[in-house]
Amino acid sequence: MVPEKDFPYIGKNLMGIRFNAMYPPNEQRYGTTYGGYPNNARQVLFYDFAVQGYDVEFKYEGAVYHLLFEPDHSALCDDKYSSEIESFSNPMELINNLRIKGHRLIDIIDNLEDVEPE
């Protein structure tokens, strides 16, 4: 995890806890198992990656992908996080615009496997 970065999509609740205002959690609807999200992939990408600043690894159709969080950008990287393949201005730009096998990441988020913060 890197030091807190306040991107425009990060909100704070009344207790000062940061959350993803673009894709907010909904504990009434989904409960607390995945932090107010319907599945692990959404919790890890929308909160752990986009808000908390953790790097992420996941599988899609048998291939493994690595997402890098930096204070000034985010990127799809190689497995050692040493070479950036494609970069974006922030994590939500990456989630909404990165294309994997012809699909935007946001459109296939519920089909990702083994999504884990690094």
Side-chain angles (χ1 to χ4, degrees):
M1 186 172 102
V2 298
E4 286 187 359
K5 170 73 174 163
D6 286 324
F7 292 112
Y9 61 83
I10 296 177
K12 289 187 180 179
N13 67 17
L14 295 175
M15 296 173 56
I17 298 171
R18 296 157 41 94
F19 70 97
N20 189 323
M22 184 179 283
Y23 293 102
N26 185 338
E27 290 183 0
Q28 275 85 22
R29 183 171 184 184
Y30 300 114
T32 58
T33 301
Y34 299 112
Y37 291 102
N39 58 48
N40 182 61
R42 286 178 183 258
Q43 177 188 356
V44 170
L45 288 174
F46 294 154
Y47 183 70
D48 295 338
F49 177 60
V51 176
Q52 292 293 95
Y54 286 97
D55 297 335
V56 172
E57 176 181 291
F58 64 87
K59 290 181 186 174
Y60 179 67
E61 293 186 351
V64 179
Y65 297 89
H66 303 273
L67 305 180
L68 173 71
F69 181 102
E70 291 289 341
D72 62 343
H73 73 284
S74 294
L76 174 66
C77 293
D78 66 356
D79 63 343
K80 293 179 179 61
Y81 293 93
S82 60
S83 177
E84 296 182 6
I85 298 164
E86 186 173 0
S87 66
F88 297 85
S89 62
N90 65 59
M92 289 311 304
E93 287 291 320
L94 183 150
I95 292 168
N96 286 318
N97 297 301
L98 175 67
R99 291 198 167 268
I100 295 177
K101 297 188 177 186
H103 305 284
R104 292 184 324 144
L105 181 57
I106 190 68
D107 295 334
I108 59 170
I109 194 169
D110 296 322
N111 299 324
L112 304 179
E113 299 174 346
D114 301 329
V115 184
E116 297 295 331
E118 297 280 297

